[in-house]
Amino acid sequence: MTADAFEGLTPDLGLDLVRTGELTVEGRLTAASNATLYCTVSDGVRSAACVYKPVAGERPLWDFPDGTLAGREVSAYAVSEALGWSVVPPTVHRDGPFGEGMVQLWVHGDTTVDLVALSRETDNRDLRRMAVFDAVINNSDRKIGHLLPTPGGHLFGCDHGVSFAEEYKLRTVLWQWQGQALTEDALEALGRVRDELRNPASALSVELERHLTGPEAYAVRRRVELLIHHRVHPYPAPDWPSVPWPPV
């Protein structure tokens, strides 16, 4: 379904490659606020493009603990997998040329898609799933430019480092479903995540424990439980900016 985005690799093969392959830095994405390096990852047989964000290149933020953004990106991938939606490209936490950091398979997106128009759609299943995913991870930076549609029609999202705050900080361009009933598809996926979070030995619980604080991991579970209980898409917080700036 998504091999078109990963130079012919399936997500499973891509995950194995970014976990074990050798990283070669090719350049830097200068528009990013933190050190974001464009790399090639290779195991001698297969190779692919990827993004490497070393912890050492993270700039301090007033509302997130220092050195935690890479782990939050990996946690977002874990939630995406638990939902069963593949919202986030294969992502791992590993060593690299500039130390420990996040490595994520590069998505070769469909450049013909108008991202502004895409972000405003109301009948796009994958976009609506992304809105639910953002509510679970408490994403405080869902910009239009963080939407990655692929030539095959799948939709990925990127840049989830400022997520998983304990306080409600959802800030997104995807508010078109606020207050509307969650789909049965979303409720089923949320139920799977809730069950995993109730099991401390589950893959999701272990990954969140590794990268988040105890209160942050508990807050994920509470957000999931509240979404299931109320059965609607959340509303913006009254005392927090609801849209990231700039929105693109």
Side-chain angles (χ1 to χ4, degrees):
M1 178 184 67
T2 53
D4 60 292
F6 305 135
E7 298 175 313
L9 294 174
T10 65
D12 285 344
L13 289 175
L15 180 63
D16 182 62
L17 184 60
V18 294
R19 180 181 289 126
T20 62
E22 181 178 354
L23 289 174
T24 301
V25 176
E26 306 289 352
R28 180 174 181 177
L29 305 182
T30 56
S33 55
N34 297 291
T36 303
L37 305 176
Y38 178 79
C39 299
T40 299
V41 59
S42 175
D43 62 4
V45 176
R46 304 164 298 178
S47 64
C50 64
V51 170
Y52 164 48
K53 298 181 181 180
V55 172
E58 295 179 6
R59 65 182 179 87
L61 298 173
W62 69 269
D63 52 348
F64 287 91
D66 292 351
T68 66
L69 304 190
R72 295 172 194 277
E73 298 243 29
V74 178
S75 298
Y77 173 69
V79 170
S80 167
E81 291 301 288
L83 286 165
W85 291 343
S86 297
V87 174
V88 181
T91 309
V92 300
H93 198 282
R94 55 164 288 181
D95 195 19
F98 297 102
E100 291 286 327
M102 181 278 285
V103 179
Q104 184 176 87
L105 208 58
W106 181 271
V107 174
H108 295 273
D110 186 347
T111 58
T112 68
V113 175
D114 182 335
L115 294 182
V116 174
L118 171 65
S119 71
R120 296 172 177 169
E121 292 182 6
T122 59
D123 59 353
N124 186 310
R125 183 197 67 172
D126 287 347
L127 194 69
R128 190 166 185 174
R129 283 177 167 181
M130 187 168 293
V132 176
F133 164 77
D134 284 340
V136 172
I137 71 169
N138 200 16
N139 190 355
S140 68
D141 196 33
R142 174 62 69 201
K143 292 183 170 72
I144 293 171
H146 296 168
L147 303 175
L148 305 174
T150 73
H154 189 74
L155 181 64
F156 287 104
C158 66
D159 288 340
H160 303 112
V162 286
S163 300
F164 296 102
E166 185 180 354
E167 305 85 2
Y168 184 57
K169 291 188 176 184
L170 184 59
R171 189 166 54 185
T172 174
V173 295
L174 305 178
W175 286 114
Q176 54 264 55
W177 298 284
Q178 60 177 290
Q180 293 187 27
L182 292 167
T183 65
E184 288 303 316
D185 167 69
L187 290 169
E188 290 175 7
L190 290 168
R192 291 193 295 269
V193 172
R194 177 194 58 195
D195 292 344
E196 283 210 43
L197 291 173
R198 287 176 174 175
N199 176 9
S202 73
L204 177 59
S205 294
V206 170
E207 196 74 350
L208 297 189
E209 183 181 4
R210 179 178 297 126
H211 299 294
L212 305 178
T213 67
E216 287 172 341
Y218 176 74
V220 178
R221 176 175 164 180
R222 287 296 299 141
R223 286 193 295 272
V224 171
E225 291 172 343
L226 286 171
L227 285 167
I228 293 173
H229 175 74
H230 293 292
R231 302 175 70 88
V232 297
H233 286 265
Y235 290 92
D239 56 352
W240 177 256
S242 61
V243 177
W245 189 262
V248 178

